[in-house]
Amino acid sequence: MAFHFKAILFVTSLSLLLHTLLLYCPVDILFKSKDPLPVNALRPQLHSLLPPANRLVLFIVSNATASDAYSVKNEDQPDLPFIRSVIRKKGRWGISYFSNSDANDDFYNNNNTRNSLPFLTGTYSDHNEDTVLRSASKVWIWCSHDGSCLNNDTGTITHLFESPVTAVTTSNASLNWMSDHIENLFLVKGNEETVGEELMKDKTIFYFNFGSADLSSIDTAMQNISSFFDSYYKDRKTTFVFTASVLGNATIESLPLMLPFVAWGAGIKNPRSKHSSLLTVHDEWSEQWGLERLERVDLDQTDIAPLLSILIGTRIPLHSLGVLPVHYIHYNKEFFAQAFYSNALQLLELVTAKEKSLHSQSLPFLFRPYHKLTQEIKHKRKTMISSYIKQRKLQEALDLSMELASLAKEAIQYYDVYHQLSVRLIMASLLLGWISYLVTILTRQDHDMEPADSRKRGLYYFIIFSFILGLGFLLWYQGMPPHFMIYFCGALLLWSSAINNCNYRAIYSKYSSWFISGCIGIVPSSKTIYQLCTNKSQFIFVQLKSYPMDPIVVAPPSHFH
């Protein structure tokens, strides 16, 4: 009795330990290689054409949804009258989606960070410090008391001004401070030679983070600031962008998936009515906001980074996964073709770097490059696009660049999940090893089940261990996370115990008829059923015919007493 109790306790403890380990399986099966590549592994991509804007003004609010920005009580009284007038008269608008599956994964994993800014990095990973700001010639940043001020290490000379107002109840005071500080900077300090030169530099970014202040007050502040910029810079070379950021203290459930995005000024198309648009996305949201007659161009948060970079002529962030939303840009076709080609080349740099990294971590004869974008295909496409641009076949160059960018995105996704097959195989080995071990526990007390002879056990060991050891070597060689080796060791131990204590041939001979009958619907022999169903109190006798009959319970034979 003690032996049975110890055996049950051991199996139960092992089962709890194993199933606790397997709780991580759903996450690890979807394993993705998300570590950012070193910056020196990527070459920046630039085009030589003059950009449409000399400076960029960013208006950022925290955790504001598209409904917050676009909702309207009635046609004559919108919640944000200035933004409403921009949408109707000056620029383009849409929904910026924060809904990519990678976004949710990375947001959850990086929830300890204070802010997530994919519109500046082009990626949802907060491990990436390369942003649109890093390649600007000058960055000026204003933050309200509850906004997330950016890291001052942007790679450029940065002026960071943070609101001295700290009381939560004085959000509007922070906005007033911003307006006063800007006027003082431009009108007073701007007369100084050094400050004046810095303010007039090209490729300059002015970043305003309003935090979580009242949106109607933010709307007024944006109107005042944009009017001031238009009056100060009379060259009509300023681009304005309004969008939202996601604070790190938000949860997945409260994550705003639809963020506002409005752009106007230099290089931005004017509004288009519904009947003149070929790509308008209209649904119940546009109608609910009273904007169903205007073209709405939606985009992913990561697509904003290449748009901002192209507008002021800086390089796209090296790790950006965004695709340039060309339907926002108003400029000549040559600029379109060159800009999208540089975006496609930047994505190809990511593909090449990921491919080289994986190739160096894989056995040469096992490496499988993405078949739609091999080195030969990449070279051929780049040669064709360059030829089209030289021949002034700009529409053909643009179409081919868009196709190349789409293939590059597919290739990046392919290489991100490249290791999933080996991960799934080692986990399958672990689960099958556990099932085999349970079979040995349930059958080894049967006196007919003698262990297999040593030669056959040696063959089983060789076949299964060769497979598992091969997978373990691949995990180690490919630089997989260390805890994956726990799956590997668990599979080895379980299969070792199962093979050592069980005669699989005897199990197959005795129970295969049950398995086959379950698959093809044929009932096994009455002798087998008799042997398995008898005990010292009663037994079940089933008379077999071409179809199953109701069981008849009868008294056990006399020799059982």
Side-chain angles (χ1 to χ4, degrees):
M1 184 67 181
F3 171 78
H4 290 295
F5 175 76
K6 290 181 179 179
I8 292 173
L9 182 62
F10 173 76
V11 173
T12 303
S13 302
L14 181 61
S15 176
L16 289 174
L17 178 63
L18 179 66
H19 284 83
T20 301
L21 175 65
L22 293 178
L23 288 175
Y24 290 93
C25 277
V27 176
D28 287 336
I29 286 176
L30 299 177
F31 172 77
K32 293 186 178 181
S33 305
K34 294 183 179 179
D35 293 333
L37 295 164
V39 173
N40 56 12
L42 303 170
R43 293 177 300 176
Q45 302 296 324
L46 289 169
H47 61 83
S48 57
L49 297 181
L50 190 67
N54 291 339
R55 66 199 65 87
L56 176 66
V57 179
L58 292 174
F59 298 121
I60 310 299
V61 296
S62 298
N63 289 341
T65 65
S67 294
D68 295 333
Y70 300 142
S71 60
V72 57
K73 296 182 178 66
N74 56 66
E75 192 64 25
D76 299 326
Q77 191 179 2
D79 292 351
L80 303 180
F82 172 68
I83 289 297
R84 194 78 169 187
S85 66
V86 167
I87 293 173
R88 290 190 174 280
K89 300 176 183 179
K90 293 184 179 180
R92 311 309 297 272
W93 74 289
I95 296 174
S96 174
Y97 286 103
F98 199 93
S99 58
N100 187 291
S101 60
D102 290 339
N104 291 342
D105 293 342
D106 285 326
F107 182 86
Y108 182 80
N109 294 332
N110 300 310
N111 203 27
N112 58 336
T113 59
R114 190 173 176 196
N115 211 357
S116 181
L117 302 172
F119 62 89
L120 291 180
T121 62
T123 175
Y124 290 106
S125 173
D126 279 346
H127 299 298
N128 180 22
E129 296 182 356
D130 186 32
T131 70
V132 173
L133 306 182
R134 183 172 289 275
S135 55
S137 63
K138 184 71 62 176
V139 180
W140 304 75
I141 301 174
W142 286 265
C143 292
S144 68
H145 72 281
D146 62 343
S148 177
C149 275
L150 298 175
N151 191 329
N152 200 29
D153 180 22
T154 61
T156 60
I157 301 175
T158 303
H159 299 276
L160 177 62
F161 309 105
E162 189 166 9
S163 170
V165 182
T166 57
V168 176
T169 57
T170 55
S171 296
N172 294 340
S174 294
L175 301 182
N176 294 333
W177 167 83
M178 279 190 189
S179 299
D180 295 340
H181 192 277
I182 292 166
E183 292 185 9
N184 179 68
L185 173 67
F186 279 77
L187 300 180
V188 179
K189 293 186 178 181
N191 293 326
E192 301 176 8
E193 183 177 356
T194 304
V195 178
E197 289 178 357
E198 291 180 352
L199 290 174
M200 298 305 295
K201 277 188 175 182
D202 294 342
K203 302 179 182 180
T204 300
I205 296 178
F206 299 90
Y207 183 96
F208 297 90
N209 192 321
F210 297 120
S212 302
D214 178 63
L215 282 178
S216 60
S217 301
I218 291 176
D219 184 73
T220 302
M222 287 191 292
Q223 182 178 15
N224 295 336
I225 293 172
S226 61
S227 297
F228 180 82
F229 270 86
D230 286 337
S231 62
Y232 187 86
Y233 297 102
K234 303 183 185 300
D235 55 4
R236 304 174 69 87
K237 289 285 188 178
T238 306
T239 301
F240 301 91
V241 169
F242 164 64
T243 188
S245 64
V246 179
L247 288 177
N249 56 8
T251 62
I252 290 295
E253 291 75 16
S254 64
L255 191 65
L257 301 181
M258 296 168 52
L259 305 176
F261 183 80
V262 182
W264 69 99
I268 301 297
K269 288 182 177 179
N270 291 324
R272 295 178 66 181
S273 59
K274 179 180 179 180
H275 65 272
S276 64
S277 171
L278 299 178
L279 70 151
T280 304
V281 179
H282 284 298
D283 54 21
E284 67 277 5
W285 291 110
S286 296
E287 186 173 356
Q288 180 179 329
W289 299 327
L291 297 170
E292 68 277 4
R293 296 184 180 180
L294 291 173
E295 178 185 48
R296 191 183 94 207
V297 183
D298 297 345
L299 69 169
D300 193 273
Q301 275 271 296
T302 58
D303 296 336
I304 300 175
L307 174 63
L308 302 181
S309 300
I310 292 298
L311 285 171
I312 59 174
T314 60
R315 64 168 177 80
I316 299 173
L318 298 176
H319 296 96
S320 171
L321 301 176
V323 176
L324 183 65
V326 294
H327 300 292
Y328 273 89
I329 301 176
H330 175 66
Y331 219 48
N332 57 65
K333 269 198 172 183
E334 184 178 4
F335 180 83
F336 267 129
Q338 290 275 15
F340 215 106
Y341 183 41
S342 65
N343 186 196
L345 289 177
Q346 176 264 324
L347 291 171
L348 282 180
E349 276 295 309
L350 271 178
V351 173
T352 302
K354 285 179 177 288
E355 185 177 345
K356 288 181 178 179
S357 176
L358 288 172
H359 189 271
S360 65
Q361 296 176 349
S362 303
L363 297 175
F365 61 90
L366 291 178
F367 181 71
R368 308 178 310 278
Y370 186 57
H371 67 282
K372 292 184 180 179
L373 202 59
T374 61
Q375 293 294 337
E376 182 181 352
I377 294 176
K378 284 189 285 187
H379 177 72
K380 182 179 179 181
R381 294 292 178 92
K382 289 193 290 186
T383 302
M384 290 178 63
I385 295 172
S386 299
S387 176
Y388 282 147
I389 292 176
K390 290 179 181 178
Q391 297 173 24
R392 308 291 296 175
K393 296 181 179 179
L394 301 177
Q395 187 59 48
E396 290 85 347
L398 178 60
D399 293 341
L400 200 56
S401 296
M402 295 175 71
E403 183 181 346
L404 185 59
S406 178
L407 286 174
K409 291 271 287 185
E410 292 178 12
I412 291 171
Q413 176 67 17
Y414 170 80
Y415 289 125
D416 279 345
V417 299
Y418 182 80
H419 290 312
Q420 281 190 6
L421 178 60
S422 56
V423 173
R424 290 175 180 178
L425 285 175
I426 197 66
M427 290 181 181
S429 300
L430 176 64
L431 290 171
L432 291 175
W434 171 243
I435 294 171
S436 299
Y437 178 74
L438 288 180
V439 169
T440 64
I441 294 296
L442 295 174
T443 60
R444 68 182 178 182
Q445 293 190 41
D446 192 323
H447 59 81
D448 290 335
M449 298 299 177
E450 297 295 334
D453 61 68
S454 59
R455 288 180 300 176
K456 292 181 179 178
R457 284 206 306 270
L459 178 61
Y460 298 152
Y461 274 121
F462 177 77
I463 295 174
I464 296 177
F465 279 26
S466 296
F467 177 74
I468 297 177
L469 286 172
L471 287 176
F473 174 75
L474 284 178
L475 293 179
W476 170 79
Y477 193 83
Q478 293 171 351
M480 304 297 280
H483 73 275
F484 279 25
M485 299 307 293
I486 298 177
Y487 298 129
F488 164 70
C489 295
L492 278 180
L493 292 174
L494 289 172
W495 277 106
S496 175
S497 178
I499 293 173
N500 192 53
N501 292 284
C502 187
N503 188 332
Y504 284 97
R505 184 171 183 178
I507 292 176
Y508 175 79
S509 300
K510 191 161 189 176
Y511 297 113
S512 60
S513 59
W514 283 89
F515 175 76
I516 295 172
S517 67
C519 294
I520 63 177
I522 299 176
V523 182
S525 67
S526 59
K527 181 180 179 181
T528 303
I529 298 177
Y530 179 87
Q531 290 176 345
L532 294 174
C533 298
T534 55
N535 56 44
K536 290 190 176 183
S537 60
Q538 65 178 22
F539 74 99
I540 299 176
F541 174 77
V542 180
Q543 183 176 359
L544 300 177
K545 291 188 178 180
S546 59
Y547 56 91
M549 298 180 63
D550 293 335
I552 304 173
V553 179
V554 299
S558 58
H559 66 271
F560 279 163
H561 294 286

